[in-house]
Structure formats: C-alpha cells, structure tokens
C-alpha cells in the first residue's frame, strides 16, 4: 500500500498541538488489534466518544467544554459488538463507557450489602439485584466481550490528545482497508487557543473582564478520508439546534469531505430521531412510543442502518 500523503493538517498538528508521548505505542496497539480481528474475519470500528476540552492556560485551571457525556458512543459500541464488530473505543476520560453506562446514575454503595456478620474479616459483599435488575445479564455480556478481546479502550482528555490519537487510529486501521469503519460521534471543539498564545499561569480575575481570541480547529475529517485511511467507511455526526439548517449542512459536509455518511440530529430530539444522510439517500430513523416503552434505543437503529451500508461498501470494494 502506498504511503499516505503529507497534508497541511500534519504540519499544523505538529506545530500547534502538543503530541502525547504515548501516541506511537497506542498506534502499534491499535494496528495489532485491527490486524488480528481482520484476519479472523471481523470488521473493526473506531468509535470516538465524549467531548473535548480546550485549556485556557498552560497550567490548566480553566477550560472550555461542551455538554457531551459520551452516551451515544458508549451505547453504539455495545450494538456494534452485538453486530460482530471489534471496537476501538476512543473516549474522553470519565465519559460514559460501554455496559457500565447503564448504571452511571446509581450510587454503587447503595446497591451493595453485607452478608453474614458485619466484621472486617468475616463478612462478604453482594449486589442487591432488585436495585440493579439487569446486572447479571450485563456482566455476562461484558465478560464475553472482554474474554474475546473485542473491545480496545483508548482514553483522551484534551483536544490535542484527541486529534493526535485519531490520526494514529486512522493510520493504524488503514492497513485493513474497507473492513475499517470510523464512527466519529465525539463532540469535538471548533475553537482553540494555540499553546504559544496561552498564558502559563491561572488567569487572574483581578485583571478585569476576559477577552479571548481563538483559532478554528483544523478539520481533521479531510485528511482522514483522503490521506490517512482512504479505503475506510467513514461516518461523521452533525448536531444542530436549528432543524431548518441541519440537512443542508449534512449534505454540504458530504460534498466537502467525500466520506460515506452523516448522522444528522437536532439537540432536542436526538435521542428519538436522526437522519442518516448519504450521497444517494437519506433515511429517517425514529423511535415510536412503543419503542420507548420497550427500552429500544435510537443507537440500535443507527448501528443497524450503518452496518448494512458498510456491508455493501465492502462488497463493492472487494468486487
């Protein structure tokens, strides 16, 4: 396979975003994971999940963030695993995680109880399954995934870490061609302050009102599609608060970046309605009241739609 071309984004990443020292080691781990599962006949999906934070000081006390909890990425990972994929889960530190995300609102000390005598050496701790009714089923599935080495978690915290790790992931997965999918569900910052322009110490409120001048984050989707993983199946996400501009922006993204699909959703209805937009079609995915009663999640519908599209994509490339 030909070496990826060097894009202008590569230079910008090197100049303005500090590269974590562990990136090369993580890249090798992702490449080995992808190669092993592709050899076993599995497809591999890289899921990005959670928000990115942008520091305002070198010795960071304050930073800009967004509302993303990582719910969509974590739940989607489970449905991809159920669909036979191996998953690289590139997620924000402390964002929601596959399987444990179901219990994120539970205080674990409230669901644990002692059996036998309450002594430091003689008691045992068990789970109150009335408070966690699905814990046995979830634990069983998690153990299957872990024993099968089907899930590779990779953490990031800052915007800089995310950008470098996504580039490393793209280059690692490029070795498996069309069997690779990128499901870019992370809520990535649009603006940042270059390290060279950041104050070293905490910004002092005694200096008066704060004025910030921020640069646009480089659009990493373009080099991912064109240079780093040109044979992969790539899905981006588009979230807006104004429904009237959503589909136009989704189609414009497809025209600009030439990837395979955009999952478009509006903030207020994102958990029950999305539109999967491709160059040839658009599919509206909606949960009914009955679906909601039966605990169906919109991510199950999204993953089902995209795995089918990926199958067609792989067939076209192999043909």
């Amino acid at each position: 396979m030909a070496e990826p071309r060097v894009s202008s984004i590569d230079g910008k990443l090197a100049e303005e975003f500090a590269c974590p020292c562990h990136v090369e080691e993580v890249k090798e781990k992702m490449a080995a994971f992808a190669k092993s599962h592709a050899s076993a006949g599995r497809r591999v999906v890289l899921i990005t999940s959670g928000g990115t934070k942008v520091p305002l000081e070198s010795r960071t006390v304050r930073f800009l963030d967004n509302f993303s909890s990582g719910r969509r990425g974590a739940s989607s990972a489970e449905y991809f695993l159920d669909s036979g994929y191996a998953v690289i889960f590139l997620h924000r530190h402390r964002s929601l995680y596959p399987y444990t995300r179901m219990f994120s609102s539970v205080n674990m000390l409230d669901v644990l109880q002692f059996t036998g005598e309450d002594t430091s050496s003689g008691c045992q701790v068990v789970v109150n399954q009335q408070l966690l009714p699905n814990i046995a089923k979830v634990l069983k599935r998690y153990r299957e995934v872990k024993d099968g080495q089907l899930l590779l978690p990779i953490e990031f915290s800052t915007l800089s870490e995310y950008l470098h790790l996504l580039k490393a992931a793209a280059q690692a997965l490029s070795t498996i061609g069309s069997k690779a999918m990128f499901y870019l569900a992370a809520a990535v910052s649009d603006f940042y302050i270059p390290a060279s322009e950041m104050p070293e110490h905490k910004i002092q409120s005694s200096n008066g009102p704060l004025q910030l001048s921020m640069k646009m984050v480089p659009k990493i989707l373009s080099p991912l599609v064109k240079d780093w993983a040109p044979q992969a199946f790539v899905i981006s996400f588009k979230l807006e608060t104004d429904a009237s501009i959503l589909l136009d922006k989704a189609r414009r993204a497809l025209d600009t970046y030439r990837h395979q699909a955009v999952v478009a959703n509006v903030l207020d209805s994102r958990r029950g309605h999305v539109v999967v937009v491709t160059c040839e079609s658009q599919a509206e995915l909606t949960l009914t009241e009955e679906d909601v009663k039966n605990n169906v999640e919109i991510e199950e519908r999204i993953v089902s739609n995209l795995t089918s599209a990926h199958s067609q994509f792989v067939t076209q490339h192999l043909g």
Side-chain angles (χ1 to χ4, degrees), residues 163-184:
L163 295 175
H164 282 286
L165 286 169
L166 179 56
K167 176 185 175 183
Q171 293 175 333
L173 267 66
S174 68
T175 59
I176 64 170
S178 62
K179 289 184 178 180
M181 178 193 287
F182 289 82
Y183 185 86
L184 305 177

Side-chain angles (χ1 to χ4, degrees), residues 283-309:
E284 294 198 32
L285 309 179
T286 304
L287 296 184
T288 65
E289 290 184 8
E290 191 66 23
D291 290 331
V292 174
K293 288 179 183 177
N294 292 326
N295 297 316
V296 176
E297 295 180 299
I298 194 67
E299 288 78 17
E300 182 177 2
R301 302 280 168 81
I302 296 171
V303 169
S304 176
N305 178 285
L306 293 173
T307 53
S308 295

Side-chain angles (χ1 to χ4, degrees), residues 211-223:
Q211 291 186 336
L212 293 175
S213 177
M214 307 185 77
K215 290 189 175 182
M216 295 291 295
V217 172
K219 298 298 185 182
I220 205 165
L221 185 56
S222 181

Side-chain angles (χ1 to χ4, degrees), residues 26-205:
V26 173
K27 180 179 175 180
E28 291 178 7
K29 188 182 297 186
M30 291 188 287
F33 180 88
K35 183 178 179 181
S36 172
H37 285 291
S39 298
R42 294 186 191 90
R43 297 174 200 160
V44 181
V45 59
L46 181 285
I47 297 175
T48 66
S49 185
T52 57
K53 68 178 182 181
V54 177
L56 301 185
E57 305 115 342
S58 294
R59 300 187 183 187
T60 306
V61 174
R62 299 181 179 91
F63 54 85
L64 296 180
D65 209 340
N66 58 51
F67 76 98
S68 177
S69 67
R71 179 186 180 277
R72 174 146 293 167
S75 56
S76 296
E78 295 172 19
Y79 294 116
F80 275 113
L81 288 162
D82 289 345
S83 299
Y85 281 70
V87 173
I88 299 176
F89 189 60
L90 180 58
H91 65 290
R92 164 83 173 268
H93 178 60
R94 293 184 178 174
S95 62
L96 294 183
Y97 194 83
Y99 305 108
T100 61
R101 55 121 185 165
M102 300 177 185
F103 313 115
S104 62
S105 62
V106 176
N107 183 340
M108 293 306 294
L109 294 181
D110 289 336
V111 301
L112 301 177
Q113 57 191 34
F114 292 112
T115 61
E117 295 183 9
D118 186 2
T119 65
S120 59
S121 60
C123 65
Q124 292 184 332
V125 176
V126 297
V127 175
N128 182 342
Q129 294 195 42
Q130 290 182 332
L131 297 178
L132 291 181
N134 296 318
I135 186 65
K137 179 181 177 181
V138 172
L139 178 60
K140 181 176 183 294
R141 180 57 181 148
Y142 174 73
R143 287 297 178 190
E144 292 170 350
V145 167
K146 189 167 184 179
D147 291 346
Q149 299 182 332
L150 297 170
L151 177 65
L152 177 62
I154 306 292
E155 280 193 353
F156 67 87
S157 181
T158 65
L159 171 65
S160 179
E161 284 181 292
Y162 171 82
L163 295 175
H164 282 286
L165 286 169
L166 179 56
K167 176 185 175 183
Q171 293 175 333
L173 267 66
S174 68
T175 59
I176 64 170
S178 62
K179 289 184 178 180
M181 178 193 287
F182 289 82
Y183 185 86
L184 305 177
V188 183
S189 305
D190 291 315
F191 309 98
Y192 77 106
I193 300 175
S196 61
E197 299 176 17
M198 236 184 266
E200 179 182 0
H201 297 288
K202 177 187 173 185
I203 299 170
Q204 298 299 312
S205 60

